[in-house]
Structures are given as structure tokens and as C-alpha cells.
């Protein structure tokens, strides 16, 4: 599973989260007690931050073609990756798409990607 964003521990579970001052929005993929449905497969519950066991920012990192990347998502055996090396000539050599100024992305076959790991801050 590719994770990118905030995750919170609450009442023995771990949830995607969005901190908002003294509150934390928790998201679940299926119906759960106290959560309200906000889309077909997304449920929300807002809790006081003091009830949260832990709150971390999680990113999935990898190496592709010998360079460092952040994994943004996954679809059908492909990973959406964003170059984390900060060198425009390298991004150009790799043939990456310019997403924004200084931001380079590509679709990489999962079979070509190495050292997939989570970083927790």
C-alpha cells in the first residue's frame, strides 16, 4: 500500500488524517461507528486532537533508474513518482514530465522500482 499524507492513531486504529488546529479529521474507507459518509467509499469523523494517540506524516520513497523519488500513487502495476533529487539536468536525462517549475514526475513500472520504503516524520 502506498501512503502519502497524515495518519493518526485513534482508539486502536490508524486512519488517514488531516490536522486542523485543536481538531483532527479522520477518514475511513468503510462505515465505522461515529463516522459519516462523505462519498461512496469515504467516511469522516472529527475528533479533538487530545484524543489522538499519534499523528505522523508518511511518505513512500523509492529509487528508480538510480535516482530518488517520492511515490505519489499506484495504478495497475504502475507507480506515479516524483523526482526528489533536485537536479533539473538529471530530470531531463530521465525524460520526466515537468509538472510544475522544478517538479518532475513520471509513471514507473513497479517492476523497475527499487528500495520502496516508508518515511515517517
Amino acid at each position: 500500500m502506498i501512503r502519502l499524507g497524515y495518519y493518526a492513531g485513534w482508539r486502536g486504529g490508524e486512519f488517514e488524517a488531516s490536522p486542523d488546529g485543536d481538531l483532527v479529521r479522520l477518514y475511513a474507507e468503510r462505515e465505522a461507528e461515529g463516522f459519516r459518509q462523505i462519498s461512496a467509499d469515504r467516511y469522516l469523523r472529527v475528533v479533538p486532537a487530545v484524543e489522538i494517540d499519534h499523528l505522523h506524516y508518511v511518505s513512500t520513497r523509492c529509487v528508480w533508474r538510480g535516482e530518488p523519488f517520492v511515490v505519489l500513487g499506484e495504478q495497475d502495476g504502475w507507480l506515479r513518482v516524483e523526482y526528489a533529487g533536485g537536479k533539473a539536468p538529471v530530470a531531463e536525462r530521465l525524460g520526466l514530465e515537468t509538472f510544475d517549475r522544478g517538479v518532475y514526475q513520471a509513471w514507473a513500472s513497479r517492476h523497475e522500482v527499487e528500495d520502496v520504503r516508508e518515511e515517517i516524520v
Side-chain angles (χ1 to χ4, degrees):
M1 182 170 110
I2 303 302
R3 298 195 309 165
L4 181 65
Y6 285 99
Y7 286 81
W10 180 72
R11 295 186 178 176
E14 186 161 73
F15 301 87
E16 287 183 56
S18 180
D20 186 15
D22 293 337
L23 301 173
V24 177
R25 292 184 302 277
L26 302 175
Y27 299 94
E29 294 178 356
R30 53 189 153 283
E31 192 172 351
E33 185 178 336
F35 283 71
R36 66 180 173 89
Q37 189 169 12
I38 57 174
S39 68
D41 60 351
R42 193 126 163 113
Y43 297 81
L44 169 70
R45 180 168 181 164
V46 180
V47 300
V50 296
E51 290 186 15
I52 299 297
D53 298 324
H54 66 266
L55 180 66
H56 302 292
Y57 189 84
V58 179
S59 63
T60 302
R61 304 280 178 152
C62 71
V63 174
W64 182 52
R65 297 182 178 173
E67 298 294 335
F69 286 83
V70 175
V71 181
L72 303 176
E74 180 175 23
Q75 185 173 353
D76 300 326
W78 292 86
L79 300 179
R80 185 66 177 174
V81 295
E82 185 172 287
Y83 177 55
K87 298 177 184 171
V90 173
E92 291 171 14
R93 177 178 54 79
L94 293 172
L96 304 177
E97 302 166 27
T98 301
F99 183 78
D100 199 356
R101 183 177 176 179
V103 180
Y104 305 95
Q105 297 181 355
W107 284 101
S109 170
R110 181 135 186 135
H111 300 293
E112 295 178 2
V113 174
E114 302 172 340
D115 192 24
V116 177
R117 68 203 179 283
E118 282 190 352
E119 281 190 5
I120 299 174
V121 182

